[in-house]
């Protein structure tokens, strides 16, 4: 099957230009495998296993007209269908304002929100992009300087459609890649100035989709610091609605993800479209239900932070956006994104590997430590069975020691007062500690990880004294501080090099196998509206260089928790600290919400002490640990000395359970069975890729008084197979899915169960 696809891709690539008029790819084996890209004259179809994405060229306007994005369709000309969709042309709205367009531009009679707006050299913002030609490319070419999905020729095929505005001499290349196995279409736009004057790109959405007449709901993730990933569902109304980030980063406030669903769609039924921007900077999502009842959705760079000048011959490449379709509800959409991101977005070798259980020093010691207390904490980590010890903030700064958050950021040299012998001998000692419970070989020694926040600087630092111009600022406007710090202008090549060298130096000096890369404020003043995007290109250069130079390091992203949990980051860092809120009750909402777009494998989740530092809430250690086990990177964030003896005694067992379920959580499919927003008993089932193992996470948020115990019905199992449940009872998949199983929760609030299933 794969061989046929790649053969055809090669034939297409070689002959695409030669055979310009009508032809339809028809493999000998067409009944079993549809060609991923089919071109018939000027009609284009992208075929996935469960999706068709179709558009054609309008031969009078040269505009690209969308025909279908949904469950697979075959054959049939499109023109009649188009005629049927458009009503009589009366009033102000011309034909172009009534059709579904692939690249809505401005000034041709489409009064809906445009996806592209260019200020021409003569000053106007009118454009007229018309179809010129197309190319089909094997596989998927990388996007220079930007994170992007990738795959071999048999995983993905790419169609590039060339549009041209004859009046302004501006070219726009729309790139569509189809990953058939994931029903995912990835689109980006490349604009080139072919004229003699300077133009300015004022707006460029990566993806714009027009859905047919109908009602839709939109699903999104909103929040704030320590309250990320809250799922919001609302109906799309007439006019524009949307959200975005202007923080310079993807942010906790809104996530660069949008789902449109039919109003009757649920977790497991109905049509769901997911749109996700592979980008870590400011973004905008706009949804508009127009006067004619069609719904337009777009996602891309935030136009408020973009005025990109393009001189003659220059190009601007947008970030890419991923669009997936599922007719198995919101859950189906999420699982497609999860698998695509694990296999075709994350570049780290750890993406599908089991992660070491870690203990992070932050909540246990904060800024108050020295070499001997750190060593002691590492000893306790190893004794409990953690495999990785992470030293968080506070280890650096010579002239301006980082002993609180007022000083030291930017001075990436070990604090000689805290570590008189330097970091290396301490790390040698820590990595010589044997992990309790492991067999006596090298991999059973404790590993060491370190915290950095390299994009930032305290004014109270040697770096700032030497390079005040390296901090982002706008002329003589005040440089506003947040958490006593400023943002470095990572758009500057000298700043990029400084960060690369500073981090490399430390990583070369000691046996460091994990890095937590933090980023604790948003961007305020910038010298120009382009700075945000230039900054992001600089950050990507830094991430790319360091992750390629240190491929054996496990990199974890963090930005005051989930301030940068986005597909762009995942290209380089296979895991992200999901939230600074470690309250397990809050985490149920945050982690279920985040899983709407992101694989659980990418979530860092830790057990901390109670009462919780953010909420003051008291929860049992089992509940805290069971919630954290739903994240790919399970850890402890506490000083074991602060645990009650009874709880401490439970930790090794909980670590053992976390290690048992981790491969299923990291590699498996997640089925959200019951949502915390809708049920007192949120539940999720993870099923291993071979279907042989599954792990059920089942919670009771509030005590159940004088009610029956509700059954939880599983999903994603083989109805005909038998499953051994928790090592004793054997139950059929059909019974588990159609009848369900019941559990009693003893005790009051915050009950939890982790149940392992083995297919017999
Ligand atoms: C444009 O398309 C219509 C509908 O398919 C067709 O009838 C017409 O002949 C085409 N015109 C040209 C100039 O190709
Ligand atoms: C653009 O202009 C060239 C000549 O200037 C002409 O040959 C071509 O047909 C025009 N293309 C469109 C799409 O108008
Ligand atoms: C964008 O298009 C221009 C002109 O075709 C080309 O030179 C450039 O390489 C393209 N950029 C990318 C990133 O594909
Ligand atoms: C285009 O911009 C460049 C750089 O700002 C400038 O040197 C050049 O004169 C401009 N060209 C025109 C035609 O305005
Ligand atoms: C390290 O800190 C501990 C606890 O505050 C203290 O008892 C100890 O003396 C310190 N050690 C050194 C070498 O400063
Ligand atoms: C190893 O863990 C067990 C409990 O699982 C504990 O009883 C024992 O003291 C630990 N050993 C060391 C050396 O920490
Ligand atoms: C600079 O850092 C030092 C050492 O932590 C501290 O005493 C001082 O108050 C800081 N100054 C400012 C302006 O934050
Ligand atoms: C490392 O361990 C050795 C041997 O126990 C000890 O002498 C040394 O002080 C330790 N160094 C650090 C930095 O902990
Ligand atoms: C070391 O132990 C790990 C598990 O603790 C095991 O997977 C690995 O095969 C062992 N390696 C050797 C060389 O014994
Ligand atoms: C650190 O080591 C890597 C190779 O492991 C090397 O490429 C790099 O130049 C070194 N960097 C510094 C600053 O020593
Ligand atoms: C099933 O096995 C689990 C764990 O192995 C145990 O806790 C439970 O009591 C057993 N249930 C029955 C009914 O034997």
């Amino acid at each position: 099957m794969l061989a046929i696809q790649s053969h055809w891709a090669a034939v297409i690539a070689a002959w695409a230009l030669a055979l310009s008029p009508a032809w339809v790819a028809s493999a000998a084996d067409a009944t079993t495998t549809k060609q991923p890209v089919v071109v018939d004259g000027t009609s284009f179809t992208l075929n996935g296993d469960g999706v068709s994405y179709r558009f054609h060229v309008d031969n009078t306007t040269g505009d690209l007209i969308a025909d279908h994005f949904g469950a697979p369709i075959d054959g049939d000309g499109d023109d009649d269908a188009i005629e049927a969709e458009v009503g009589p042309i009366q009033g102000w709205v011309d034909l172009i304002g009534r059709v579904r367009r692939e690249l809505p531009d401005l000034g041709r009679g489409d009064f809906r929100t445009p996806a592209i707006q260019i200020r021409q050299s003569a000053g106007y913002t009118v454009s007229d992009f018309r179809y010129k030609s197309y190319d089909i490319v094997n596989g998927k070419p990388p996007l220079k300087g930007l994170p992007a999905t990738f795959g071999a020729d048999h995983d993905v095929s790419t169609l590039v459609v060339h549009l041209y505005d004859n009046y302004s001499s501006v070219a726009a290349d729309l790139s569509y890649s189809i990953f058939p196995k994931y029903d995912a279409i990835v689109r980006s736009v490349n604009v080139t100035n072919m004229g003699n004057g300077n133009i300015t790109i004022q707006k460029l959405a990566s993806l714009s989709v027009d859905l047919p007449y109908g009602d839709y709901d939109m699903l999104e993730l909103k929040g704030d610091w320590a309250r990320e990933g809250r799922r919001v569902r609302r109906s799309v109304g007439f006019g524009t609605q949307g959200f975005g980030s202007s923080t310079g980063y993807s942010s906790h406030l809104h996530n660069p993800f949008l789902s449109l669903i039919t109003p009757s769609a649920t977790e497991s039924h109905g049509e769901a479209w997911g749109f996700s921007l592979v980008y870590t900077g400011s973004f905008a999502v706009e949804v508009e239900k127009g006067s004619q009842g069609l719904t337009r959705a777009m996602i891309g760079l935030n136009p408020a932070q973009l005025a990109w000048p393009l001189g003659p011959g220059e190009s601007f490449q947008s970030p890419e956006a991923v669009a997936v379709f599922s007719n198995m509800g919101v859950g189906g959409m999420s699982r497609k994104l999860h698998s695509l991101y694990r296999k075709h977005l994350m570049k780290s070798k750890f993406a599908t590997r089991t992660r070491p259980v870690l203990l992070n020093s932050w909540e246990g010691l904060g800024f108050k430590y020295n070499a001997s207390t750190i060593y002691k904490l590492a000893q306790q980590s190893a004794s409990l069975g953690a495999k990785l010890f992470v030293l968080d903030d506070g280890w650096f700064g010579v002239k301006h020691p980082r002993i609180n958050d007022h000083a030291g950021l930017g001075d990436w040299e070990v604090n000689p007062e805290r570590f008189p012998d330097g970091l290396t001998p301490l790390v040698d000692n820590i990595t010589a500690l044997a992990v309790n419970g492991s067999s006596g070989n090298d991999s059973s020694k404790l590993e060491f990880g370190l915290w950095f926040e390299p994009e930032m600087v305290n004014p109270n630092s040697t770096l700032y004294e030497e390079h005040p111009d390296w901090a982002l600022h706008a002329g003589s406007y005040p440089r506003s501080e947040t958490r006593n710090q400023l943002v470095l202008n990572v758009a500057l090549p000298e700043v990029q090099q400084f960060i690369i060298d500073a981090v490399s130096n430390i990583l070369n000096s000691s046996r460091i196998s994990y890095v937590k890369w933090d980023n604790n404020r948003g961007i305020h003043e910038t010298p120009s509206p382009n700075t945000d995007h230039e900054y992001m290109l600089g950050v990507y250069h830094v991430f790319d260089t360091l992750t390629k130079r240190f491929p054996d390091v496990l990199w974890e992203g963090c930005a005051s928790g989930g301030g940068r949990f986005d597909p762009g980051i995942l290209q380089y860092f296979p895991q992200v600290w999901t939230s600074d809120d470690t309250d397990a009750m809050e985490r149920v909402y945050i982690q279920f919400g985040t899983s709407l777009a992101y694989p659980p494998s990418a979530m860092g989740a830790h057990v901390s002490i109670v009462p919780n530092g953010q909420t003051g809430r008291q929860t049992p250690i089992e509940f805290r640990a069971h919630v954290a086990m739903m994240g790919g990177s399970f850890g402890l964030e506490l000083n074991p000395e602060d645990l009650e003896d009874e709880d401490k005694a439970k930790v090794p067992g909980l670590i053992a359970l976390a290690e048992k379920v981790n491969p299923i959580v990291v590699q498996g499919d997640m089925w959200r069975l019951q949502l915390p927003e809708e049920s007192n008993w949120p539940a999720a089932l993870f099923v291993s890729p071979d279907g042989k193992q599954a792990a059920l996470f089942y919670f009771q948020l509030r005590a159940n008084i004088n009610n029956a115990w509700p059954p939880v019905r599983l999903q994603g199992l083989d109805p005909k197979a038998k499953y051994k449940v928790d090592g004793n009872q054997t139950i059929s998949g059909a019974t588990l899915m159609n009848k369900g199983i019941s559990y009693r929760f003893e005790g009051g609030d915050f009950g939890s169960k982790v149940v392992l299933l083995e297919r017999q």
Side-chain angles (χ1 to χ4, degrees):
M1 194 165 96
L2 302 182
I4 291 166
Q5 281 195 354
S6 64
H7 164 74
W8 268 96
V11 171
I12 288 164
W15 293 349
L17 289 172
L19 292 175
S20 43
W23 64 276
V24 182
S26 55
D29 207 8
T31 48
T32 54
T33 310
K34 271 190 243 142
Q35 297 311 309
V37 179
V38 174
V39 180
D40 179 4
T42 53
S43 286
F44 304 90
T45 306
L46 306 168
N47 289 310
D49 293 349
V51 73
S52 298
Y53 187 104
R54 262 181 142 166
F55 57 94
H56 75 274
V57 178
D58 181 307
N59 64 7
T60 49
T61 60
D63 205 25
L64 288 189
I65 306 295
D67 298 311
H68 182 68
F69 178 21
I73 53 172
D74 270 321
D76 307 329
D78 299 307
D79 301 324
D80 293 347
I82 286 303
E83 289 308 319
E85 240 176 73
V86 178
I89 312 293
Q90 295 170 328
W92 289 12
V93 181
D94 274 331
L95 182 64
I96 205 161
R98 295 169 187 252
V99 291
R100 296 162 55 195
R101 307 178 65 203
E102 288 293 303
L103 185 71
D105 50 6
L106 194 66
R108 295 165 82 181
D110 181 354
F111 300 126
R112 294 164 293 180
T113 311
I116 184 168
Q117 186 177 337
I118 294 175
R119 189 180 153 88
Q120 313 293 4
S121 54
Y124 4 93
T125 52
V126 171
S127 46
D128 186 13
F129 286 104
R130 288 167 188 254
Y131 174 77
K132 208 172 127 202
S133 62
Y134 74 94
D135 286 303
I136 294 172
V137 184
N138 282 338
K140 183 169 183 290
L143 285 191
K144 198 168 169 286
L146 285 165
T149 52
F150 57 85
D153 290 358
H154 61 261
D155 298 317
V156 57
S157 307
T158 300
L159 165 73
V160 182
V161 179
H162 306 283
L163 305 179
Y164 194 66
D165 178 344
N166 247 5
Y167 305 97
S168 62
S169 304
V170 176
D173 292 346
L174 305 185
S175 166
Y176 297 86
S177 297
I178 169 93
F179 287 87
K181 207 170 145 195
Y182 308 93
D183 298 329
I185 289 114
V186 182
R187 201 183 89 161
S188 66
V189 186
N190 175 22
V191 175
T192 304
N193 179 1
M194 315 281 266
N196 302 318
N198 293 329
I199 63 170
T200 307
I201 299 182
Q202 302 194 153
K203 179 177 185 183
L204 183 59
S206 298
L207 174 73
S208 177
V209 166
D210 284 345
L211 293 180
Y213 184 99
D215 291 330
Y216 300 93
D217 282 358
M218 56 194 273
L219 258 181
E220 61 195 273
L221 294 172
K222 74 152 173 85
D224 205 312
W225 174 74
R227 179 163 54 74
E228 296 87 342
R230 291 305 173 105
R231 187 194 252 253
V232 181
R233 181 173 182 163
R234 50 173 156 155
S235 57
V236 174
F238 281 97
T240 53
Q241 52 245 280
F243 54 88
S245 167
S246 57
T247 65
Y249 306 116
S250 47
S251 91
H252 321 70
L253 317 185
H254 299 279
N255 195 276
F257 163 79
L258 165 76
S259 174
L260 289 179
I261 52 182
T262 48
S264 59
T266 65
E267 272 297 303
S268 48
H269 297 284
E271 294 185 311
W273 292 261
F275 308 100
S276 193
L277 187 67
V278 185
Y279 193 59
T280 309
S282 295
F283 70 93
V285 165
E286 290 164 284
V287 180
E288 180 176 7
K289 189 168 185 176
S291 62
Q292 306 282 316
L294 307 182
T295 294
R296 173 169 292 174
M298 60 181 70
I299 187 164
L301 297 168
N302 188 333
Q305 280 151 311
L306 185 76
W308 195 275
L310 269 195
E314 289 178 350
S315 293
F316 180 78
Q317 172 65 55
S318 81
E320 67 179 31
V322 174
V324 294
F325 170 77
S326 169
N327 56 10
M328 289 183 63
V330 177
M333 174 206 71
S334 294
R335 284 186 293 280
K336 286 176 191 189
L337 285 171
H338 296 173
S339 325
L340 179 78
Y341 286 172
R342 281 184 306 211
K343 303 213 175 77
H344 299 288
L345 176 65
M346 298 174 174
K347 287 192 165 168
S348 168
K349 69 175 194 184
F350 296 98
T352 53
R353 285 196 193 172
T354 300
R355 312 290 163 81
V357 171
L358 64 82
L359 187 144
N360 179 298
S361 70
W362 181 247
E363 287 194 26
L365 297 181
F367 281 116
K368 292 196 191 70
Y369 60 76
N370 56 32
S372 52
T373 51
I374 285 299
Y375 183 68
K376 192 170 163 211
L377 189 61
Q379 275 179 315
Q380 290 171 318
S381 308
S383 158
L384 287 172
K387 292 202 158 59
L388 166 67
F389 172 76
V390 179
L391 173 53
D392 209 279
D393 200 354
W395 55 268
F396 52 91
V398 179
K399 187 176 158 205
H400 300 278
R402 178 78 172 169
I403 49 171
N404 54 40
D405 63 17
H406 285 267
L409 277 181
D411 296 350
W412 301 107
E413 277 178 72
V414 177
N415 177 335
E417 274 177 44
R418 289 188 165 188
F419 305 101
D421 306 323
L423 203 55
T424 311
L426 174 67
V427 174
D428 286 346
N429 284 4
I430 288 175
T431 54
L433 291 167
V435 173
N436 193 0
S438 293
S439 54
N441 67 24
D442 226 32
S443 70
S444 68
K445 296 286 195 267
L446 189 63
E447 292 185 285
F448 181 81
L450 197 60
W451 178 96
F452 289 90
E453 192 181 357
E455 296 157 67
M456 298 287 162
V457 65
N458 284 119
N460 206 344
S461 69
T462 305
L463 182 68
Y464 192 73
E465 284 165 8
E466 289 173 1
H467 301 284
D469 51 316
W470 282 8
L472 276 175
H473 64 283
S476 57
Y477 279 90
R479 302 175 179 206
S480 55
E481 291 175 28
T482 296
R483 205 179 184 238
N484 316 302
Q485 66 197 53
L486 299 169
V487 185
L488 290 174
N489 186 356
V490 187
L492 300 173
E494 55 271 33
V495 172
Q496 295 160 21
Q497 199 55 48
F498 165 79
I499 294 175
I500 290 168
D501 290 344
V503 175
S504 295
N505 271 331
I506 299 286
L507 295 189
N508 283 355
S509 73
S510 304
R511 291 171 56 183
I512 295 169
S513 47
Y514 160 106
V515 166
K516 176 176 170 189
W517 188 292
D518 210 340
N519 201 62
N520 285 318
R521 64 161 291 182
I523 291 175
H524 297 186
E525 306 85 19
T526 58
S528 91
N530 311 327
T531 308
D532 283 289
H533 185 60
E534 285 175 335
Y535 175 103
M536 212 39 72
L537 294 176
V539 165
Y540 288 141
H541 169 67
V542 169
F543 287 173
D544 188 54
T545 306
L546 285 172
T547 53
K548 279 187 180 143
R549 186 177 286 178
F550 299 99
D552 298 330
V553 168
L554 171 57
W555 298 82
E556 173 162 328
C558 177
S560 310
R564 296 202 299 198
F565 205 132
D566 58 69
I569 279 280
L570 294 181
Q571 173 108 92
Y572 313 96
F573 303 163
Q575 62 189 54
V576 176
W577 179 229
T578 319
S579 175
D580 279 350
D581 193 339
T582 52
D583 176 329
M585 165 85 167
E586 298 294 307
R587 276 295 190 123
V588 170
Y589 290 83
I590 293 170
Q591 293 173 204
F592 270 73
T594 303
S595 77
L596 211 47
Y598 305 102
S601 64
M603 295 182 211
H606 300 172
V607 176
S608 58
I609 56 150
V610 285
N612 182 267
Q614 308 299 350
T615 61
R617 191 176 277 133
Q618 199 87 34
T619 53
I621 190 140
E622 290 87 352
F623 182 74
R624 280 176 270 155
H626 291 164
V627 171
M629 280 174 208
M630 286 192 298
S633 175
F634 173 87
L636 308 171
E637 182 129 359
L638 45 75
N639 185 344
E641 284 176 5
D642 299 334
L643 282 174
E644 305 281 343
D645 287 347
E646 198 189 329
D647 282 354
K648 195 170 160 183
K650 290 175 182 166
V651 170
L654 290 167
I655 288 179
L657 180 60
E659 290 183 335
K660 209 164 167 182
V661 298
N662 193 254
I664 312 175
V665 168
V666 167
Q667 295 173 32
D669 273 342
M670 182 197 200
W671 299 76
R672 289 180 298 256
L673 306 173
Q674 291 166 187
L675 301 178
E677 291 85 356
E678 295 171 357
S679 170
N680 187 39
W681 294 274
L685 185 75
F686 291 80
V687 183
S688 67
D690 61 9
K692 286 188 178 151
Q693 291 178 303
L696 168 67
F697 292 85
Y698 190 31
F699 304 100
Q700 168 170 286
L701 301 183
R702 300 271 169 227
N704 185 29
I705 303 158
N706 208 15
N707 264 320
W709 298 98
V712 56
R713 290 170 59 177
L714 309 191
Q715 294 173 34
L717 301 177
D718 175 356
K720 295 202 188 79
K722 299 270 188 203
Y723 294 86
K724 187 156 263 194
V725 179
D726 249 351
N728 35 35
Q729 267 179 295
T730 300
I731 310 180
S732 77
T735 301
L736 289 166
M737 294 195 289
N738 299 329
K739 177 171 182 285
I741 40 176
S742 297
Y743 286 97
R744 294 175 73 90
F745 289 94
E746 306 300 339
D749 299 341
F750 313 122
S752 62
K753 305 248 180 248
V754 178
V755 181
L756 286 162
L757 288 84
E758 301 268 349
R759 195 172 69 191
Q760 300 302 291

